[in-house]
mmCIF file of all heavy atoms in Angstrom:
data_model
loop_
_atom_site.group_PDB
_atom_site.id
_atom_site.type_symbol
_atom_site.label_atom_id
_atom_site.label_comp_id
_atom_site.label_asym_id
_atom_site.label_seq_id
_atom_site.Cartn_x
_atom_site.Cartn_y
_atom_site.Cartn_z
ATOM 1 N N ARG A 1 -63.947 28.639 -2.528
ATOM 2 C CA ARG A 1 -64.195 27.569 -1.582
ATOM 3 C C ARG A 1 -64.225 28.166 -0.174
ATOM 4 O O ARG A 1 -63.516 29.117 0.114
ATOM 5 C CB ARG A 1 -63.116 26.502 -1.670
ATOM 6 C CG ARG A 1 -63.362 25.558 -2.802
ATOM 7 C CD ARG A 1 -62.345 24.423 -2.744
ATOM 8 N NE ARG A 1 -61.658 24.440 -4.049
ATOM 9 C CZ ARG A 1 -60.429 24.799 -4.232
ATOM 10 N NH1 ARG A 1 -59.671 25.208 -3.257
ATOM 11 N NH2 ARG A 1 -59.910 24.790 -5.439
ATOM 12 N N ALA A 2 -65.107 27.582 0.657
ATOM 13 C CA ALA A 2 -65.169 28.038 2.063
ATOM 14 C C ALA A 2 -63.845 27.642 2.715
ATOM 15 O O ALA A 2 -63.585 26.486 2.940
ATOM 16 C CB ALA A 2 -66.350 27.415 2.751
ATOM 17 N N GLY A 3 -62.976 28.582 2.952
ATOM 18 C CA GLY A 3 -61.712 28.307 3.614
ATOM 19 C C GLY A 3 -61.405 29.436 4.564
ATOM 20 O O GLY A 3 -61.688 29.361 5.744
ATOM 21 N N LEU A 4 -60.876 30.538 4.027
ATOM 22 C CA LEU A 4 -60.571 31.715 4.831
ATOM 23 C C LEU A 4 -61.673 32.746 4.663
ATOM 24 O O LEU A 4 -62.291 32.855 3.610
ATOM 25 C CB LEU A 4 -59.251 32.327 4.372
ATOM 26 C CG LEU A 4 -58.040 31.400 4.434
ATOM 27 C CD1 LEU A 4 -56.854 32.044 3.715
ATOM 28 C CD2 LEU A 4 -57.666 31.131 5.885
ATOM 29 N N GLY A 5 -61.906 33.498 5.723
ATOM 30 C CA GLY A 5 -62.929 34.546 5.622
ATOM 31 C C GLY A 5 -62.569 35.761 6.446
ATOM 32 O O GLY A 5 -61.692 35.668 7.345
ATOM 33 N N PHE A 6 -63.145 36.875 6.100
ATOM 34 C CA PHE A 6 -62.937 38.111 6.837
ATOM 35 C C PHE A 6 -64.205 38.941 6.742
ATOM 36 O O PHE A 6 -64.782 38.985 5.641
ATOM 37 C CB PHE A 6 -61.754 38.883 6.283
ATOM 38 C CG PHE A 6 -61.430 40.146 7.009
ATOM 39 C CD1 PHE A 6 -60.812 40.096 8.261
ATOM 40 C CD2 PHE A 6 -61.761 41.389 6.513
ATOM 41 C CE1 PHE A 6 -60.505 41.257 8.961
ATOM 42 C CE2 PHE A 6 -61.477 42.541 7.208
ATOM 43 C CZ PHE A 6 -60.852 42.481 8.436
ATOM 44 N N ALA A 7 -64.623 39.541 7.816
ATOM 45 C CA ALA A 7 -65.833 40.357 7.839
ATOM 46 C C ALA A 7 -65.496 41.730 8.407
ATOM 47 O O ALA A 7 -64.679 41.834 9.355
ATOM 48 C CB ALA A 7 -66.951 39.729 8.633
ATOM 49 N N LEU A 8 -66.096 42.758 7.832
ATOM 50 C CA LEU A 8 -65.876 44.116 8.262
ATOM 51 C C LEU A 8 -67.185 44.859 8.324
ATOM 52 O O LEU A 8 -67.996 44.719 7.377
ATOM 53 C CB LEU A 8 -64.913 44.795 7.258
ATOM 54 C CG LEU A 8 -64.601 46.289 7.459
ATOM 55 C CD1 LEU A 8 -63.712 46.470 8.672
ATOM 56 C CD2 LEU A 8 -63.856 46.799 6.221
ATOM 57 N N SER A 9 -67.437 45.614 9.378
ATOM 58 C CA SER A 9 -68.631 46.473 9.481
ATOM 59 C C SER A 9 -68.131 47.895 9.668
ATOM 60 O O SER A 9 -67.401 48.206 10.615
ATOM 61 C CB SER A 9 -69.506 46.061 10.629
ATOM 62 O OG SER A 9 -70.065 44.781 10.389
ATOM 63 N N VAL A 10 -68.578 48.777 8.781
ATOM 64 C CA VAL A 10 -68.124 50.185 8.804
ATOM 65 C C VAL A 10 -69.324 51.052 9.163
ATOM 66 O O VAL A 10 -70.304 51.081 8.431
ATOM 67 C CB VAL A 10 -67.558 50.605 7.455
ATOM 68 C CG1 VAL A 10 -67.041 52.035 7.499
ATOM 69 C CG2 VAL A 10 -66.466 49.655 6.982
ATOM 70 N N PRO A 11 -69.282 51.775 10.305
ATOM 71 C CA PRO A 11 -70.362 52.681 10.652
ATOM 72 C C PRO A 11 -70.271 53.990 9.869
ATOM 73 O O PRO A 11 -69.196 54.499 9.657
ATOM 74 C CB PRO A 11 -70.165 52.933 12.152
ATOM 75 C CG PRO A 11 -68.704 52.793 12.349
ATOM 76 C CD PRO A 11 -68.238 51.747 11.341
ATOM 77 N N PHE A 12 -71.435 54.494 9.462
ATOM 78 C CA PHE A 12 -71.543 55.792 8.799
ATOM 79 C C PHE A 12 -72.468 56.657 9.630
ATOM 80 O O PHE A 12 -73.270 56.173 10.432
ATOM 81 C CB PHE A 12 -72.044 55.633 7.390
ATOM 82 C CG PHE A 12 -70.999 55.143 6.430
ATOM 83 C CD1 PHE A 12 -70.792 53.761 6.286
ATOM 84 C CD2 PHE A 12 -70.233 56.018 5.723
ATOM 85 C CE1 PHE A 12 -69.793 53.315 5.434
ATOM 86 C CE2 PHE A 12 -69.233 55.562 4.859
ATOM 87 C CZ PHE A 12 -69.011 54.200 4.719
ATOM 88 N N PRO A 13 -72.373 57.997 9.469
ATOM 89 C CA PRO A 13 -73.242 58.903 10.274
ATOM 90 C C PRO A 13 -74.731 58.689 10.026
ATOM 91 O O PRO A 13 -75.564 58.948 10.898
ATOM 92 C CB PRO A 13 -72.819 60.290 9.820
ATOM 93 C CG PRO A 13 -71.444 60.113 9.300
ATOM 94 C CD PRO A 13 -71.376 58.745 8.720
ATOM 95 N N SER A 14 -75.122 58.165 8.839
ATOM 96 C CA SER A 14 -76.530 57.980 8.524
ATOM 97 C C SER A 14 -76.684 56.788 7.593
ATOM 98 O O SER A 14 -75.739 56.389 6.901
ATOM 99 C CB SER A 14 -77.087 59.236 7.864
ATOM 100 O OG SER A 14 -76.595 59.365 6.534
ATOM 101 N N PRO A 15 -77.915 56.228 7.529
ATOM 102 C CA PRO A 15 -78.200 55.161 6.581
ATOM 103 C C PRO A 15 -77.984 55.604 5.142
ATOM 104 O O PRO A 15 -77.496 54.811 4.322
ATOM 105 C CB PRO A 15 -79.667 54.823 6.852
ATOM 106 C CG PRO A 15 -79.894 55.190 8.279
ATOM 107 C CD PRO A 15 -79.023 56.434 8.476
ATOM 108 N N LEU A 16 -78.297 56.856 4.814
ATOM 109 C CA LEU A 16 -78.126 57.354 3.434
ATOM 110 C C LEU A 16 -76.632 57.331 3.081
ATOM 111 O O LEU A 16 -76.281 56.929 1.953
ATOM 112 C CB LEU A 16 -78.695 58.765 3.320
ATOM 113 C CG LEU A 16 -78.553 59.425 1.927
ATOM 114 C CD1 LEU A 16 -79.173 58.552 0.846
ATOM 115 C CD2 LEU A 16 -79.174 60.809 1.956
ATOM 116 N N GLU A 17 -75.767 57.712 3.978
ATOM 117 C CA GLU A 17 -74.337 57.713 3.682
ATOM 118 C C GLU A 17 -73.818 56.289 3.527
ATOM 119 O O GLU A 17 -72.941 56.034 2.686
ATOM 120 C CB GLU A 17 -73.556 58.481 4.744
ATOM 121 C CG GLU A 17 -73.779 59.972 4.630
ATOM 122 C CD GLU A 17 -73.328 60.746 5.842
ATOM 123 O OE1 GLU A 17 -74.013 60.646 6.894
ATOM 124 O OE2 GLU A 17 -72.316 61.471 5.739
ATOM 125 N N ALA A 18 -74.351 55.350 4.292
ATOM 126 C CA ALA A 18 -73.983 53.955 4.146
ATOM 127 C C ALA A 18 -74.393 53.438 2.758
ATOM 128 O O ALA A 18 -73.655 52.713 2.082
ATOM 129 C CB ALA A 18 -74.565 53.078 5.262
ATOM 130 N N GLN A 19 -75.616 53.830 2.299
ATOM 131 C CA GLN A 19 -76.080 53.444 0.998
ATOM 132 C C GLN A 19 -75.236 54.085 -0.124
ATOM 133 O O GLN A 19 -74.943 53.415 -1.133
ATOM 134 C CB GLN A 19 -77.550 53.874 0.790
ATOM 135 C CG GLN A 19 -78.534 53.008 1.543
ATOM 136 C CD GLN A 19 -78.637 51.590 0.959
ATOM 137 O OE1 GLN A 19 -78.212 51.327 -0.143
ATOM 138 N NE2 GLN A 19 -79.224 50.711 1.765
ATOM 139 N N ILE A 20 -74.817 55.304 0.052
ATOM 140 C CA ILE A 20 -73.963 55.992 -0.932
ATOM 141 C C ILE A 20 -72.640 55.228 -1.040
ATOM 142 O O ILE A 20 -72.137 54.987 -2.150
ATOM 143 C CB ILE A 20 -73.765 57.476 -0.586
ATOM 144 C CG1 ILE A 20 -75.074 58.235 -0.786
ATOM 145 C CG2 ILE A 20 -72.644 58.076 -1.399
ATOM 146 C CD1 ILE A 20 -75.066 59.659 -0.214
ATOM 147 N N ALA A 21 -72.030 54.888 0.098
ATOM 148 C CA ALA A 21 -70.767 54.179 0.069
ATOM 149 C C ALA A 21 -70.955 52.796 -0.607
ATOM 150 O O ALA A 21 -70.134 52.380 -1.414
ATOM 151 C CB ALA A 21 -70.258 53.976 1.505
ATOM 152 N N HIS A 22 -72.060 52.128 -0.295
ATOM 153 C CA HIS A 22 -72.373 50.822 -0.911
ATOM 154 C C HIS A 22 -72.459 50.996 -2.445
ATOM 155 O O HIS A 22 -71.869 50.212 -3.194
ATOM 156 C CB HIS A 22 -73.658 50.272 -0.373
ATOM 157 C CG HIS A 22 -74.053 48.959 -0.992
ATOM 158 N ND1 HIS A 22 -74.837 48.887 -2.123
ATOM 159 C CD2 HIS A 22 -73.795 47.680 -0.620
ATOM 160 C CE1 HIS A 22 -75.045 47.623 -2.437
ATOM 161 N NE2 HIS A 22 -74.394 46.859 -1.535
ATOM 162 N N GLY A 23 -73.153 52.037 -2.892
ATOM 163 C CA GLY A 23 -73.304 52.247 -4.310
ATOM 164 C C GLY A 23 -71.979 52.565 -4.986
ATOM 165 O O GLY A 23 -71.764 52.221 -6.174
ATOM 166 N N SER A 24 -71.056 53.204 -4.283
ATOM 167 C CA SER A 24 -69.751 53.490 -4.847
ATOM 168 C C SER A 24 -68.831 52.331 -4.856
ATOM 169 O O SER A 24 -67.982 52.180 -5.740
ATOM 170 C CB SER A 24 -69.105 54.619 -4.021
ATOM 171 O OG SER A 24 -69.836 55.812 -4.121
ATOM 172 N N LEU A 25 -68.938 51.447 -3.892
ATOM 173 C CA LEU A 25 -68.001 50.341 -3.743
ATOM 174 C C LEU A 25 -68.472 49.012 -4.285
ATOM 175 O O LEU A 25 -67.673 48.181 -4.718
ATOM 176 C CB LEU A 25 -67.657 50.131 -2.264
ATOM 177 C CG LEU A 25 -66.938 51.323 -1.609
ATOM 178 C CD1 LEU A 25 -66.977 51.211 -0.107
ATOM 179 C CD2 LEU A 25 -65.497 51.371 -2.104
ATOM 180 N N ALA A 26 -69.793 48.792 -4.396
ATOM 181 C CA ALA A 26 -70.322 47.521 -4.850
ATOM 182 C C ALA A 26 -69.957 47.169 -6.304
ATOM 183 O O ALA A 26 -69.740 45.984 -6.578
ATOM 184 C CB ALA A 26 -71.846 47.469 -4.663
ATOM 185 N N PRO A 27 -69.846 48.138 -7.227
ATOM 186 C CA PRO A 27 -69.523 47.765 -8.594
ATOM 187 C C PRO A 27 -68.137 47.167 -8.781
ATOM 188 O O PRO A 27 -67.848 46.564 -9.797
ATOM 189 C CB PRO A 27 -69.642 49.071 -9.383
ATOM 190 C CG PRO A 27 -70.486 49.944 -8.529
ATOM 191 C CD PRO A 27 -70.217 49.541 -7.096
ATOM 192 N N ASP A 28 -67.224 47.358 -7.796
ATOM 193 C CA ASP A 28 -65.852 46.874 -7.939
ATOM 194 C C ASP A 28 -65.826 45.367 -7.708
ATOM 195 O O ASP A 28 -65.705 44.895 -6.570
ATOM 196 C CB ASP A 28 -64.915 47.574 -6.957
ATOM 197 C CG ASP A 28 -64.742 49.049 -7.277
ATOM 198 O OD1 ASP A 28 -64.985 49.407 -8.413
ATOM 199 O OD2 ASP A 28 -64.386 49.816 -6.345
ATOM 200 N N ARG A 29 -65.879 44.632 -8.790
ATOM 201 C CA ARG A 29 -65.806 43.157 -8.702
ATOM 202 C C ARG A 29 -64.328 42.758 -8.501
ATOM 203 O O ARG A 29 -63.425 43.489 -8.897
ATOM 204 C CB ARG A 29 -66.352 42.532 -9.951
ATOM 205 C CG ARG A 29 -67.807 42.733 -10.156
ATOM 206 C CD ARG A 29 -68.326 41.568 -11.043
ATOM 207 N NE ARG A 29 -69.762 41.567 -11.124
ATOM 208 C CZ ARG A 29 -70.569 41.060 -10.203
ATOM 209 N NH1 ARG A 29 -70.100 40.538 -9.119
ATOM 210 N NH2 ARG A 29 -71.867 41.021 -10.390
ATOM 211 N N GLU A 30 -64.134 41.571 -7.974
ATOM 212 C CA GLU A 30 -62.814 41.054 -7.815
ATOM 213 C C GLU A 30 -62.227 40.757 -9.180
ATOM 214 O O GLU A 30 -62.902 40.204 -10.051
ATOM 215 C CB GLU A 30 -62.848 39.754 -6.978
ATOM 216 C CG GLU A 30 -63.278 39.969 -5.549
ATOM 217 C CD GLU A 30 -62.349 40.879 -4.776
ATOM 218 O OE1 GLU A 30 -61.127 40.892 -5.035
ATOM 219 O OE2 GLU A 30 -62.830 41.624 -3.932
#
């Protein structure tokens, strides 16, 4: 339910490194 929220933006040296981090972290479901 829309109640509490938190947003985080993490800078990486390059777009490729941001994509690599996304690929590593996205599969972790709650």
Side-chain angles (χ1 to χ4, degrees):
R1 278 185 237 110
L4 301 170
F6 183 74
L8 176 69
S9 293
V10 183
F12 283 86
S14 71
L16 179 56
E17 288 166 289
Q19 285 290 344
I20 290 169
H22 179 271
S24 297
L25 296 164
D28 293 338
R29 293 205 172 278
E30 294 299 327

